Amino acid sequence: MKKGFKIIGIGLLIIIALLGLGATYINSNDLPSYEVQTIDFQADINPESVARGKKIVSMLCASCHMNREKGNLTGTQMLDAPSEFGVIYSQNITNDKTHGIGDWTDSEILYLLRTGIKRDGKYSPPYMAKLPHMADDDINAIISFLRSDDPLVAADPIPDQPSQPSFLTKILCQVVMKPFPMPTEKIAMPDTTNVIELGEYLAHNLDCFSCHSADFKTNDFLNPEKSPGYFGGGNKPLNFEGKIVLTPNLTPDRETGIGKMTEEQFIRAVRYGLKSGEASLQYPMLPYPALTDLEASAIFKYLKTIPPIKNKVERVVYD
Ligand code: HEC
Ligand code: HEC
């Protein structure tokens, strides 16, 4: 009997020692690295693709990469990232050749956006957008715009601040979050005459689901609708003062979701951040004025088709 305990004790000690070793290993090795596949891609740049790219980048990338003092995409500290992820800076993605991405090839940008792997093989952390399902034409539009001389992305030599990912972020990236495979088939644009399909495409590719599901840590970017608490809200991004702004439930549940919201109310909230009889929506929910009424309405109609989740999220308004 006593001997049995001793063996269990030794076993436990060994397990603890191994866990400790694993932890030191992960901590000193930073984020994991992967092989970079060479792909042959050159953006097809034309005035339409640049304009479309500007629209997508302003809605999707600017929320994280915008330097508010400079008014361009030279990067900033990501104040809305929960502190459990560490201290996170987005980077300079202007055309500067030293500090920005001016010397990245189109293929390197494409590969990062699709897989999450940077050109040096480093995995880009969980808070950088990954676009495994975005249509080829939209990705082409993003890259076309990044190459343009628009004031948002014109070369600006502001040095990057290195992120300090937490131990948790490193564990997540070593164990749970893996790069996505480079798509092997063409991804077509959604059929814009099918509002539900268009709404689903926007709700996934504009990252609405990642803030509005249960937790950043458990989101599933490959199969967004399998993310725990899909659109049920309760995720905890932070505002500029580091206070939690809970995300509301956007499932069609009548009591706790958007079941009673009208389409007009939804469109006003999404495009302009306005709520009738209540304070405007607070950061990090930024308005999406670039969405058309048709697109915002498509998201609404799509959300009406997903499974309702009963999850009451109490709104807190800070002044
Ligand atoms: C939710 C926040 C977020 C969104 C949305 C986002 N990014 Fe990022 N991005 C980051 C962060 C944070 C980093 C830095 C990661 C690191 O520390 O390595 C980054 C890194 C990058 C890099 C690598 C830069 C370098 O020099 O290594 C590129 C390129 C990039 N982002 C482009 C984009 C584009 C294009 C979009 C829109 C399609 C986008 N990002 C959307 C947060 C974001
Ligand atoms: C960075 C995280 C984030 C992203 C991305 C995001 N939201 Fe939000 N959203 C929030 C937060 C936080 C609130 C609550 C703000 C408040 O209470 O003032 C909110 C509020 C809302 C509301 C108001 C709901 C209500 O009951 O009043 C709607 C509608 C909404 N978001 C839709 C969207 C859509 C559609 C998208 C994508 C196009 C989106 N959100 C992307 C964080 C986000």
Side-chain angles (χ1 to χ4, degrees), residues 7-318:
I7 291 174
I8 294 174
I10 292 172
L12 266 180
L13 272 181
I14 292 177
I15 291 173
I16 290 168
L18 283 178
L19 281 178
L21 270 179
T24 330
Y25 173 81
I26 287 175
N27 227 355
S28 58
N29 272 271
D30 223 48
L31 299 173
S33 285
Y34 296 91
E35 203 178 311
V36 182
Q37 195 184 320
T38 351
I39 40 170
D40 184 22
F41 171 77
Q42 186 114 46
D44 173 14
I45 301 180
N46 53 65
E48 290 75 42
S49 69
V50 174
R52 171 126 189 117
K54 178 164 188 167
K55 172 171 165 165
I56 303 173
V57 168
S58 73
M59 291 194 290
L60 181 60
C61 322
S63 53
C64 290
H65 285 274
M66 176 69 85
N67 175 332
R68 281 176 189 78
E69 272 154 41
K70 304 271 314 192
N72 64 11
L73 304 187
T74 43
T76 187
Q77 183 177 354
M78 291 192 42
L79 294 167
D80 64 323
S83 56
E84 59 185 0
F85 285 123
V87 181
I88 310 303
Y89 291 90
S90 62
Q91 291 173 347
N92 183 337
I93 58 169
T94 71
N95 278 302
D96 188 74
K97 286 200 160 44
T98 311
H99 302 291
I101 55 171
D103 67 340
W104 286 45
T105 64
D106 292 353
S107 321
E108 287 166 346
I109 301 175
L110 172 70
Y111 197 65
L112 168 67
L113 294 177
R114 285 294 194 205
T115 65
I117 302 173
K118 296 196 203 180
R119 64 175 182 173
D120 62 0
K122 274 263 161 74
Y123 183 61
S124 74
Y127 22 79
M128 159 63 191
K130 301 182 179 70
L131 309 169
H133 299 301
M134 188 175 269
D136 294 333
D137 286 353
D138 274 349
I139 295 258
N140 182 69
I142 291 177
I143 299 175
S144 301
F145 175 71
L146 292 176
R147 294 309 194 199
S148 75
D149 54 8
D150 186 279
L152 276 180
V153 292
D156 188 348
I158 298 215
D160 285 331
Q161 305 256 37
S163 295
Q164 294 142 32
S166 66
F167 181 56
L168 172 75
T169 300
K170 291 177 192 170
I171 295 246
L172 282 174
C173 291
Q174 292 277 2
V175 183
V176 190
M177 295 173 174
K178 296 285 168 190
F180 300 132
M182 191 64 203
T184 49
E185 271 158 37
K186 255 192 88 57
I187 305 183
M189 289 289 272
D191 173 2
T192 45
T193 60
N194 178 339
V195 281
I196 307 290
E197 187 183 322
L198 175 65
E200 174 176 10
Y201 178 81
L202 295 168
H204 290 172
N205 286 290
L206 292 179
D207 255 7
C208 316
F209 84 96
S210 86
C211 279
H212 283 277
S213 299
D215 193 322
F216 290 116
K217 296 193 288 298
T218 51
N219 282 332
D220 183 343
F221 279 86
L222 266 193
N223 307 288
E225 60 293 333
K226 291 201 182 135
S227 301
Y230 180 60
F231 273 114
N235 198 358
K236 302 188 183 65
L238 308 178
N239 68 10
F240 289 121
E241 281 83 48
K243 294 190 180 134
I244 291 174
V245 188
L246 288 175
T247 61
N249 180 344
L250 301 184
T251 71
D253 186 65
R254 283 190 68 78
E255 269 68 53
T256 64
I258 56 163
K260 288 184 191 148
M261 212 181 200
T262 67
E263 184 168 322
E264 286 66 38
Q265 287 169 335
F266 182 88
I267 295 175
R268 258 166 57 90
V270 174
R271 294 193 62 200
Y272 308 112
L274 297 173
K275 286 199 49 133
S276 18
E278 272 187 55
S280 303
L281 295 176
Q282 308 156 98
Y283 180 86
M285 174 68 196
L286 295 168
Y288 291 82
L291 273 185
T292 62
D293 277 354
L294 184 121
E295 289 166 329
S297 135
I299 299 178
F300 180 74
K301 293 199 171 93
Y302 165 67
L303 290 172
K304 289 286 198 173
T305 69
I306 68 173
I309 294 178
K310 213 168 251 331
N311 180 30
K312 182 145 184 60
V313 181
E314 227 37 92
R315 182 174 187 215
V316 179
V317 176
Y318 300 101

